[in-house]
Amino acid sequence: MVNPHFVPKNVFQYGDISYVDHKEASDAKKDGFEQITCLTLDIYARKDISKSTPKPVFMFIHGGEWIRGDKASPYPLIRHLAEVGWVVVSVNYRLAPTTLYPTQLIDAKRALRWVKLNIEHFGGDPKFIAVAGDDAGGQIAAVLALTPNKREYQTGFEDVDTSVKACVLINAITDLVDEQKLWDYDISDYFSKKIAGRGNKDIAFCKEHSPLYLIKTDSVPFLVFHGDRDTLIPFKSSINFVNEFKKKTKSEIQFIPIPGGHHVYHLFSSPRSHYQAIGVEQWLNHIYDDGNNDKNEYAWVSEENDFSE
């Protein structure tokens, strides 16, 4: 229960695979060797997986306020999904402020490019990739899911399809503008200056990278978790994202509030984190199997629930 590097016996881990080409690696050298090593991913797949029957892919982007964190974090969710047959990819990216945003988003799209081109060799299905993340990784994952094929974030691989089929968020940052002043500090000022390296607070830039403002009528399905005792990222910000999503698109969104959940409740093994992993598995299987956004047996949160309060 407490082994942070536990990998199930029936799962093999392929570690530290570079997802960039030679030119991209060379360009990244200006940030130093440590940042180059961030351009890697790990793959978790069952040892008995058959390449003749490709399995759906789950790509996870770690959190850490864009400035810390690692793909090797323990996350029971990653291990569970691999154990039940998903091919799981855990992604690193270059960190701020050494490398300024939106490099983190671009790196994630580069990782997705690599997955689409190579995951079949590990038994994965490149036609079905779900992306997920927590904290700042959730912001990156959501923006990636909501900006498919946006050329300005795909320099050098503009013609690669960077769409995904679904997105899972855990205590994610979905609003960098914070018009309702939910944060304890000025998140737009922090993001603009420290993370993106802009001289002044740039509200327009923050909007461009806030999932709340990127929802479209054809957005992919979302599953959103948030601990109601999260003291770092406002719980109500996820409620606002869910309500806005329901207004703008017919795609499925499920919101699962976690009673008593703090900011990193999902990081270590516990009954709560393991049941959450099972719930993610069930929802993803529904999206994968049904291939549509209709309401279904896994719709734990009914349409009648109002999270505006």
Side-chain angles (χ1 to χ4, degrees):
M1 289 290 286
V2 297
N3 180 1
H5 301 292
F6 169 76
V7 177
K9 290 182 179 180
N10 65 338
V11 171
F12 191 85
Q13 178 181 358
Y14 305 86
D16 298 324
I17 300 171
S18 174
Y19 59 77
V20 295
D21 60 29
H22 178 73
K23 183 182 183 304
E24 291 166 345
S26 297
D27 291 344
K29 283 184 178 180
K30 66 179 183 300
D31 295 331
F33 177 76
E34 183 178 349
Q35 291 286 65
I36 294 175
T37 61
C38 287
L39 299 170
T40 57
L41 53 81
D42 295 341
I43 297 174
Y44 299 85
R46 284 176 61 111
K47 296 176 181 177
D48 60 355
I49 201 166
S50 172
K51 294 179 182 177
S52 62
T53 308
K55 302 298 182 182
V57 179
F58 181 77
M59 180 173 134
F60 192 87
I61 303 171
H62 71 78
E65 299 179 272
W66 304 280
I67 62 175
R68 63 177 68 89
D70 189 87
K71 59 181 170 52
S73 296
Y75 298 109
L77 174 60
I78 288 176
R79 274 66 178 184
H80 174 79
L81 288 177
E83 189 173 21
V84 298
W86 282 65
V87 175
V88 179
V89 181
S90 185
V91 176
N92 266 354
Y93 50 88
R94 284 173 287 176
L95 302 173
T98 302
T99 307
L100 299 172
Y101 189 94
T103 297
Q104 293 72 27
L105 172 63
I106 295 169
D107 286 349
K109 286 183 177 266
R110 286 170 172 163
L112 178 60
R113 170 196 61 184
W114 186 95
V115 171
K116 291 209 171 190
L117 293 174
N118 297 280
I119 202 63
E120 63 183 351
H121 302 301
F122 300 87
D125 182 359
K127 296 178 181 177
F128 190 96
I129 301 171
V131 67
D134 66 324
D135 187 81
Q139 179 267 338
I140 296 169
V143 174
L144 183 152
L146 295 168
T147 60
N149 308 318
K150 199 159 187 178
R151 297 175 72 85
E152 56 261 49
Y153 307 137
Q154 298 182 205
T155 303
F157 58 106
E158 293 88 349
D159 296 330
V160 173
D161 177 19
T162 55
S163 63
V164 296
K165 298 298 186 182
C167 185
V168 178
L169 303 180
I170 303 172
N171 292 351
I173 299 171
T174 54
D175 181 10
L176 296 165
V177 178
D178 192 26
E179 291 181 347
Q180 295 185 12
K181 306 300 180 187
L182 300 176
W183 290 75
D184 294 333
Y185 61 95
D186 192 336
I187 181 64
S188 56
D189 186 74
Y190 169 82
F191 182 79
S192 298
K193 295 177 181 178
K194 184 170 182 178
I195 305 306
R198 295 177 173 252
N200 300 299
K201 179 164 69 173
D202 190 335
I203 296 297
F205 181 79
C206 289
K207 273 194 174 184
E208 289 175 10
H209 295 278
S210 293
L212 179 69
Y213 296 96
L214 297 174
I215 303 165
K216 302 178 181 66
T217 56
D218 60 349
S219 295
V220 299
F222 271 71
L223 173 61
V224 180
F225 294 91
H226 208 126
D228 66 3
R229 293 190 183 181
D230 187 345
T231 57
L232 295 181
I233 298 174
F235 174 74
K236 194 172 188 298
S237 65
S238 283
I239 295 175
N240 292 343
F241 175 78
V242 171
N243 288 335
E244 189 69 12
F245 194 96
K246 288 180 176 180
K247 291 177 185 176
K248 290 185 175 179
T249 178
K250 295 294 186 181
S251 294
E252 177 177 332
I253 188 165
Q254 303 292 349
F255 178 48
I256 313 299
I258 305 298
H262 50 77
H263 186 62
V264 292
Y265 74 84
H266 61 291
L267 189 57
F268 300 103
S269 291
S270 70
R272 175 188 287 138
S273 62
H274 285 280
Y275 277 113
Q276 179 183 53
I278 293 169
V280 173
E281 173 203 349
Q282 291 181 336
W283 185 79
L284 287 173
N285 284 342
H286 141 63
I287 297 296
Y288 180 63
D289 292 340
D290 286 3
N292 58 58
N293 300 321
D294 294 337
K295 294 295 181 290
N296 61 88
E297 62 183 303
Y298 299 124
W300 302 292
V301 183
S302 70
E303 213 169 29
E304 290 75 24
N305 284 343
D306 181 5
F307 296 105
S308 60
E309 294 302 322

